[in-house]
Amino acid sequence: MPEIKVTPLGAGQDVGRSCILVSIGGKNIMLDCGMHMGYNDDRRFPDFSYITQNGRLTEFLDCVIISHFHLDHCGALPFMSEMVGYDGPIYMTHPTKAICPILLEDFRKITVDKKGETNFFTSQMIKDCMKKVVPLNLHQTVQVDDELEIKAYYAGHVLGAAMVQIKVGSESVVYTGDYNMTPDRHLGAAWIDKCRPDILISESTYATTIRDSKRCRERDFLKKVHESIERGGKVLIPVFALGRAQELCILLETFWERMNLKAPIYFSTGLTEKANHYYKLFITWTNQKIRKTFVQRNMFEFKHIKAFDRSYADNPGPMVVFATPGMLHAGQSLQIFKKWAGNEKNMVIMPGYCVQGTIGHKILNGQRKLEMEGRSTLDVKLQVEYMSFSAHADAKGIMQLIRMAEPRNMLLVHGEAVKMEFLKGKIEQEFNCHMPANGETATVTTNPSVPVDISLNLLKREMALGGPLPDPKKPRTMHGTLIMKENLVSSEQALKELGLNEHQLRFTCRVQLQDPHSDPDTLNRIYTHLKSVLKGYTIQHLPDGTVMVESIVIKVSSSAEDTSTKVLLLSWSYQVKHFYFYNGLVLTPSLRFFKVVKGRF
Amino acid sequence: MAEMEETDFNDILDDWFIESLKTYKDLHVYQLEHPTQVIEWTSGRTVCVAGYSSSKNEILELHLPLKLFADENKGLCAERDFKVVHGGFAEGPVCCLRHVPGTRCVVTNDGLSSDLQVWTVGGDDSDVIRRTGSVKGRRSVSEGGSRIAAPLSSQLLHGARSSDVQLTQLTSGQILYTLETDSADPLSSLQFVSDTVFLAGCCNGNVYIADTRTSAAPQLSPGPAAWGGSVLWWTDASAGRVIRLSSSGQAVVSDLRDLGEAVSWAQLDVQSHRCNPDDVRVSWAPALDNCIAVSGFSGAVQIYKTSVWGTERQDVQPLFEHRGHAVSSQSDDDVFVTAHVWHPERPRTLLSAASDGSVHVWDWVDQSEL
């Protein structure tokens, strides 16, 4: 039976990293290649031994697809392609291709330089990895090879995030990656057509969460900033250059305008160039509505937000500063942090996840005393706020997406099936649902249609037989011989091509009857009788002393001992096995037929 | 929605959110797949909600966001979402849902008959809420749903009318007590005011007080003289006080020991002509003195301070109004608040649900105390 196999790769734990293997129509695809941020050892990488025990992955994978730039989806990519070894194509959207290497390099620097790790990918490896990338556009079908095609759909969530459809022949799989179904100021909602994939793969955590609205998160951000400013404090917001900064700047600008606030807002110069680059990417990627927001903005010409100079950090009074890098691990944001940390009126707002080893990570874990270079300690007295602005789908959203795509099967990863009976039951009211554990393979059988070419002669012959034309709701059966070389041909042609002789199977059987008449008379009586009961069939009484019902031949002869004991000889060829229903009787040339005849005599 | 309308909607919503910076401490806004008419605490941190459509409905147990409870290190907790911890399927609507204290059981009624369904909420190893039994109403006639009150573990007080209230032992089904009344008034509330003394509030304003230990006749306190013709009444009792609210917005506070006398009256600022009988809720704040919450008349939840009411009926204004559901609803029909509950310990924290499936968790600021 044709089947699609899905295996989420893992190393013993559930959530934290995405890397899923799909086998479909003889093709192997890797979906995402994420790093688990909670581990320092090899457990942070996906377990590639499932694919092969040792050696490179190139011959085992037809392609790799990355859904978006978050590290738990692409963090292990350079490790996989350069240290384990993979030289095939890596597909991702244009924005993902632009942003991925920046994040990977940042991540590498922190892990190697700050934490002194050795078994990690190098800057060169990141570059070499990115050379293998083939960028994708939305809704554009890309032929990976003759049989495998992929298509990206808009996922929302972050810039460049995509849901991917993988298709081989008539079998397909859709992988959602991370997505959201509620549009906000900057991102639209994910969208997919009714593509009816055999499997839709998504995260089980979505289905068990009901998310607080984006506006409430934004409200919390504004509230915290406002409270600090009101008490004369300074607010530091470390941001990754691309992404969150834009959103938060617009938010503050609107708020400052509305509330007529006077405290200065700054962003560090490094941000501007990168931000413009980001802006251009965003503009081509995003939809009409969001484009308008940005066009009105006139990108970084804010009324209330100005470029930062490092001397401003010492100015008295309240202010807000956006500075890079995002995890306080180096550079300007760390410098400012050191100056402001000692005052409890101040605040630092971390708008995203911080990798282990960074100051950001430490303070988010409640550390109030930090060891800095030169063995000095820093007392953290300012207020630390952790805010998550990521747009994710939830229980309502996942059902919306499933109903949009109408998959034949639903597959949820990163959940514990044993504990999720209700969830499974809920989805199974409408769709089949699977929940493989990490390292476990879910197999889904499919019922693909196999397209074949048909020879013109055979087609003409079929049409000549008359009858109803085939339609999708009522397919019509026909017979032929399939030469798995080119096309579907008639049997004669097949035999000719294959150099085989045609053989015919002919069956015979004898039935005894009691009838006092002469042989020809008995035959005549049988003929008359059959003609009256088998209306609509061709029944002939031939001069050679046989009766033919369609292609079944009937002969009558008498037994030597007793002339009133007749023997009917029936013969039919193999094709006449399937016959017709007539008044509930199956008229196969078998004993049944003779039950009818006998009954009458 | 036309583009202009959408911009206007967003502006109004933004305005409300900006205003909320001063008027709320915490605010969380959620969207369920299906609206609920019930919100019931199953622990200090979990609530049950359930659908009320005419066919199959989900019962969900939700864990409140961690951020709400992280009092000391609130800033370090970014977790703002509800977690669906348990779920189950009900064959019909769920109009009343009660948690049986000290157990993992909840009891529901579909609003169509007086029978109750008993459910067991799974533990850590399963996410299922399973139907494990039923309790027959005294008179199983389909004349409107039962009210349910659960005092001690495994006992249930229930009934659709004053004439069919009974106390049933949950595990054995044994009937421990029945309320004998002359008339069969439909009930709008049923609650215990002590371990054994309960209050049955009728839709016509009558209130019966009885003790399940005795077979003595219940005390009947007739409804207050209603202004504006025939009205419906809802009742809530807490800490020795009883409040009765009418569908015309009239509110009466009495002492439990002397229901016939009114301590104070008020005409509340509600849109009485739009009251939805199934949705009206009135409740005393468990951790605040003299505060009530009122909902079901519109898309807002109102908080009133009863201590400022007098003996003369007068128009009063709410101390606070939560308009979040009305403001953030994108549906064309007017949205109605279908349920609200106070947090049992946090003084100003409430949960409210509306007809568009929204659920809000909010901690309001008492402006009069600033």
Side-chain angles (χ1 to χ4, degrees):
Chain A
M1 280 304 294
E3 36 187 46
I4 304 177
K5 290 192 199 302
V6 179
T7 313
L9 292 187
Q13 66 291 338
D14 35 20
V15 205
R17 171 241 294 119
S18 297
C19 186
I20 300 168
L21 281 183
V22 173
S23 280
I24 173 175
K27 306 286 170 187
N28 294 326
I29 300 113
M30 180 183 286
L31 299 170
D32 279 340
C33 190
M35 182 83 84
H36 194 299
M37 311 306 281
Y39 288 93
N40 286 324
D41 51 28
D42 282 350
R43 284 176 297 177
R44 62 184 157 195
F45 299 120
D47 185 8
F48 299 119
S49 66
Y50 179 83
I51 307 172
T52 175
Q53 288 296 316
N54 45 39
R56 302 178 72 77
L57 302 175
T58 316
E59 60 180 285
F60 298 98
L61 291 175
D62 291 280
C63 72
V64 173
I65 306 175
I66 303 291
S67 62
H68 64 287
F69 61 66
H70 279 155
L71 290 173
D72 55 342
H73 289 256
C74 74
L77 189 63
F79 170 79
M80 192 271 301
S81 71
E82 307 311 304
M83 292 171 84
V84 178
Y86 168 75
D87 300 310
I90 302 173
Y91 291 95
M92 59 181 79
T93 61
H94 288 272
T96 311
K97 183 181 176 191
I99 299 170
C100 241
I102 304 172
L103 273 176
L104 286 168
E105 178 54 33
D106 253 6
F107 177 48
R108 188 207 67 77
K109 253 198 264 184
I110 296 169
T111 314
V112 173
D113 301 347
K114 290 276 151 200
K115 289 162 72 188
E117 294 220 12
T118 44
N119 185 31
F120 213 75
F121 48 82
T122 62
S123 292
Q124 187 57 44
M125 285 180 186
I126 297 173
K127 294 193 179 95
D128 292 337
C129 171
M130 296 313 287
K131 286 189 194 130
K132 299 169 185 173
V133 169
V134 180
L136 292 171
N137 288 317
L138 281 180
H139 306 160
Q140 183 191 53
T141 305
V142 170
Q143 294 288 143
V144 176
D145 60 34
D146 284 345
E147 289 140 319
L148 172 61
E149 52 184 57
I150 61 177
K151 179 153 70 161
Y153 288 92
Y154 184 76
H157 185 56
V158 288
L159 177 63
M163 304 189 291
V164 189
Q165 181 196 42
I166 299 130
K167 209 162 164 179
V168 177
S170 63
E171 289 174 292
S172 66
V173 166
V174 169
Y175 169 58
T176 65
D178 287 346
Y179 63 101
N180 64 281
M181 297 302 289
T182 329
D184 60 34
R185 277 173 235 274
H186 321 94
L187 295 167
W191 178 86
I192 194 164
D193 50 13
K194 217 178 269 299
C195 53
R196 299 210 174 96
D198 289 287
I199 310 178
L200 178 65
I201 305 174
S202 192
E203 287 279 337
S204 56
T205 44
Y206 286 162
T208 54
T209 308
I210 300 181
R211 289 205 191 269
D212 192 9
S213 70
K214 191 78 181 287
R215 270 202 164 80
C216 280
R217 293 170 206 271
E218 290 175 347
R219 174 195 175 269
D220 205 27
F221 170 70
L222 292 175
K223 191 169 204 292
K224 292 289 178 320
V225 171
H226 193 220
E227 277 166 5
S228 290
I229 298 296
E230 290 225 297
R231 63 177 182 236
K234 297 171 166 56
V235 182
L236 171 65
I237 309 172
V239 282
F240 170 59
L242 311 170
R244 210 53 72 198
Q246 258 59 26
E247 206 183 317
L248 298 177
C249 278
I250 294 171
L251 203 51
L252 279 187
E253 167 92 347
T254 321
F255 185 58
W256 247 241
E257 188 68 26
R258 221 183 248 272
M259 306 289 279
N260 200 20
L261 298 173
K262 300 290 177 231
I265 311 176
Y266 301 110
F267 56 75
S268 50
T269 40
L271 265 177
T272 331
E273 299 107 48
K274 290 182 189 156
N276 278 325
H277 174 59
Y278 171 85
Y279 163 70
K280 287 196 189 92
L281 271 177
F282 203 64
I283 273 288
T284 49
W285 177 258
T286 192
N287 65 31
Q288 194 61 33
K289 171 190 162 200
I290 293 158
R291 220 172 286 189
K292 279 211 300 210
T293 320
F294 278 80
V295 167
Q296 278 162 14
R297 280 286 121 235
N298 198 14
M299 222 53 230
F300 287 99
E301 283 192 22
F302 289 112
K303 209 169 126 188
H304 302 275
I305 308 181
K306 303 278 175 270
F308 186 67
D309 181 278
R310 75 160 99 156
S311 63
Y312 298 171
D314 298 316
N315 289 356
M319 70 172 83
V320 181
V321 177
F322 288 92
T324 58
M327 301 184 228
L328 287 179
H329 50 284
Q332 189 161 71
S333 61
L334 183 58
Q335 273 178 16
I336 301 170
F337 177 77
K338 285 191 218 174
K339 281 188 198 251
W340 295 358
N343 188 338
E344 61 256 325
K345 279 202 257 187
N346 296 341
M347 180 185 284
V348 63
I349 298 180
M350 309 298 297
Y353 178 81
C354 291
V355 164
Q356 252 188 47
T358 56
I359 302 242
H361 190 263
K362 291 182 183 150
I363 60 173
L364 285 181
N365 276 307
Q367 233 178 294
R368 301 302 274 178
K369 268 185 162 45
L370 298 171
E371 240 195 57
M372 313 298 284
E373 296 97 52
R375 291 181 165 238
S376 60
T377 7
L378 181 66
D379 272 327
V380 179
K381 293 205 183 132
L382 57 54
Q383 205 174 319
V384 179
E385 290 285 330
Y386 184 21
M387 296 192 187
S388 162
F389 291 97
S390 285
H392 281 282
D394 66 359
K396 179 174 175 177
I398 199 175
M399 296 311 292
Q400 282 176 311
L401 186 75
I402 299 177
R403 288 176 192 132
M404 255 195 217
E406 280 190 18
R408 293 199 181 89
N409 295 273
M410 190 61 215
L411 195 139
L412 296 176
V413 294
H414 298 149
E416 293 175 64
V418 168
K419 294 191 188 178
M420 298 179 106
E421 200 189 314
F422 163 68
L423 175 61
K424 196 156 188 273
K426 179 186 151 112
I427 295 175
E428 280 184 337
Q429 287 183 77
E430 295 172 62
F431 306 94
N432 288 333
C433 183
H434 306 258
M435 290 185 185
N438 276 346
E440 189 187 273
T441 304
T443 307
V444 172
T445 49
T446 56
N447 206 3
S449 44
V450 182
V452 289
D453 291 325
I454 181 172
S455 82
L456 196 56
N457 284 331
L458 183 59
L459 187 60
K460 280 186 185 167
R461 196 167 78 175
E462 265 305 308
M463 297 306 289
L465 289 177
L469 287 173
D471 79 66
K473 298 226 174 82
K474 235 190 148 194
R476 181 170 145 172
T477 322
M478 57 168 284
H479 298 276
T481 307
L482 179 66
I483 301 178
M484 299 211 338
K485 163 179 107 169
E486 288 159 27
N487 50 11
L488 187 66
V489 301
S490 68
S491 334
E492 296 85 0
Q493 192 177 338
L495 288 167
K496 198 167 119 194
E497 286 195 29
L498 296 167
L500 294 172
N501 288 325
E502 185 177 358
H503 290 78
Q504 282 218 351
L505 282 176
R506 214 151 173 92
F507 296 88
T508 57
C509 91
R510 286 165 198 274
V511 181
Q512 273 201 345
L513 281 182
Q514 289 303 116
D515 192 31
H517 301 95
S518 70
D519 290 355
D521 279 347
T522 310
L523 190 66
N524 213 22
R525 293 188 75 201
I526 288 171
Y527 169 69
T528 320
H529 174 69
L530 287 177
K531 256 207 115 61
S532 70
V533 295
L534 295 180
K535 297 207 165 50
Y537 297 110
T538 317
I539 304 175
Q540 299 167 283
H541 190 167
L542 298 176
D544 66 358
T546 61
V547 165
M548 279 195 64
V549 179
E550 302 283 328
S551 61
I552 302 169
V553 181
I554 306 169
K555 276 195 188 138
V556 174
S557 59
S558 324
S559 133
E561 296 91 32
D562 170 20
T563 51
S564 60
T565 304
K566 304 286 181 221
V567 175
L568 292 183
L569 180 74
L570 281 97
S571 105
W572 63 95
S573 67
Y574 183 67
Q575 271 85 351
V576 193
K577 212 171 83 151
H578 318 283
F579 222 58
Y580 322 97
F581 264 84
Y582 176 76
N583 277 0
L585 271 164
V586 178
L587 296 170
T588 55
S590 67
L591 287 176
R592 281 254 223 137
F593 175 67
F594 294 95
K595 280 191 181 128
V596 175
V597 176
K598 264 188 174 175
R600 292 283 186 270
F601 273 69
Chain B
M1 235 195 208
E3 245 194 64
M4 267 313 286
E5 274 176 40
E6 199 180 336
T7 324
D8 290 340
F9 169 77
N10 280 322
D11 284 342
I12 295 170
L13 194 53
D14 280 344
D15 284 341
W16 184 77
F17 268 94
I18 299 237
E19 194 192 308
S20 79
L21 293 179
K22 287 273 184 260
T23 52
Y24 296 81
K25 246 177 69 195
D26 287 318
L27 180 63
H28 296 258
V29 167
Y30 304 92
Q31 191 64 37
L32 298 177
E33 234 190 308
H34 308 286
T36 182
Q37 245 176 20
V38 299
I39 309 175
E40 171 80 349
W41 293 100
T42 48
S43 80
R45 298 184 172 203
T46 52
V47 289
C48 264
V49 295
Y52 55 93
S53 80
S54 51
S55 54
K56 207 165 182 181
N57 288 284
E58 287 175 6
I59 303 178
L60 302 174
E61 188 187 38
L62 308 174
H63 194 292
L64 264 63
L66 296 173
K67 197 173 174 76
L68 201 62
F69 303 104
D71 283 316
E72 281 136 36
N73 280 327
K74 214 175 174 85
L76 301 183
C77 181
E79 195 49 70
R80 302 182 63 95
D81 303 325
F82 272 144
K83 283 266 171 283
V84 180
V85 284
H86 294 97
F89 295 102
E91 287 308 313
V94 176
C95 293
C96 187
L97 189 151
R98 272 297 155 251
H99 173 235
V100 183
T103 71
R104 286 297 281 154
C105 282
V106 295
V107 183
T108 61
N109 173 260
D110 63 6
L112 303 167
S113 84
S114 59
D115 296 337
L116 310 179
Q117 297 84 39
V118 183
W119 308 78
T120 304
V121 182
D124 287 332
D125 54 346
S126 154
D127 68 339
V128 179
I129 298 179
R130 212 179 294 277
R131 173 92 184 262
T132 48
S134 57
V135 173
K136 283 209 87 59
R138 205 151 123 196
R139 270 172 270 268
S140 267
V141 203
S142 313
E143 14 175 293
S146 284
R147 304 282 107 202
I148 313 170
L152 309 165
S153 310
S154 311
Q155 283 179 10
L156 282 174
L157 186 71
H158 59 104
R161 287 178 177 253
S162 54
S163 50
D164 60 21
V165 174
Q166 65 188 37
L167 184 72
T168 309
Q169 173 71 257
L170 188 56
T171 40
S172 63
Q174 190 193 351
I175 299 169
L176 306 168
Y177 167 90
T178 54
L179 178 66
E180 301 298 339
T181 59
D182 293 328
S183 47
D185 305 324
L187 295 177
S188 62
S189 72
L190 203 57
Q191 69 181 123
F192 276 87
V193 292
S194 78
D195 284 345
T196 55
V197 177
F198 70 90
L199 205 128
C202 306
C203 293
N204 60 11
N206 288 349
V207 174
Y208 292 92
I209 304 181
D211 190 321
T212 57
R213 286 170 306 187
T214 79
S215 51
Q219 234 184 297
L220 164 60
S221 170
W227 294 285
S230 87
V231 291
L232 300 170
W233 291 90
W234 293 269
T235 314
D236 189 46
S238 167
R241 298 148 309 164
V242 174
I243 183 151
R244 274 179 283 196
L245 172 69
S246 81
S247 49
S248 59
Q250 194 186 327
V252 185
V253 177
S254 313
D255 193 291
L256 186 61
R257 293 157 300 183
D258 192 2
L259 276 180
E261 282 295 308
V263 168
S264 53
W265 299 87
Q267 176 61 43
L268 303 185
D269 182 23
V270 293
Q271 292 157 301
S272 47
H273 58 281
R274 294 169 78 227
C275 130
N276 200 351
D278 288 335
D279 294 339
V280 173
R281 307 272 188 276
V282 59
S283 61
W284 289 102
L288 276 182
D289 291 333
N290 305 312
C291 265
I292 56 159
V294 174
S295 67
F297 289 89
S298 66
V301 181
Q302 296 176 320
I303 314 283
Y304 289 91
K305 197 150 177 91
T306 62
S307 50
V308 301
W309 297 359
T311 47
E312 293 298 312
R313 172 191 162 233
Q314 45 175 199
D315 289 344
V316 289
Q317 290 302 307
L319 175 61
F320 186 85
E321 196 169 28
H322 174 68
R323 292 180 302 112
H325 295 282
V327 172
S328 52
S329 170
Q330 283 198 283
S331 68
D332 290 329
D333 305 315
D334 281 329
V335 74
F336 264 82
V337 173
T338 52
H340 76 257
V341 286
W342 291 86
H343 191 284
E345 282 134 41
R346 298 165 62 96
R348 287 177 198 79
T349 303
L350 285 101
L351 275 77
S352 54
S355 51
D356 63 351
S358 57
V359 171
H360 295 180
V361 182
W362 39 286
D363 191 340
W364 53 283
V365 172
D366 189 347
Q367 304 284 353
S368 67
E369 284 181 11
L370 294 174

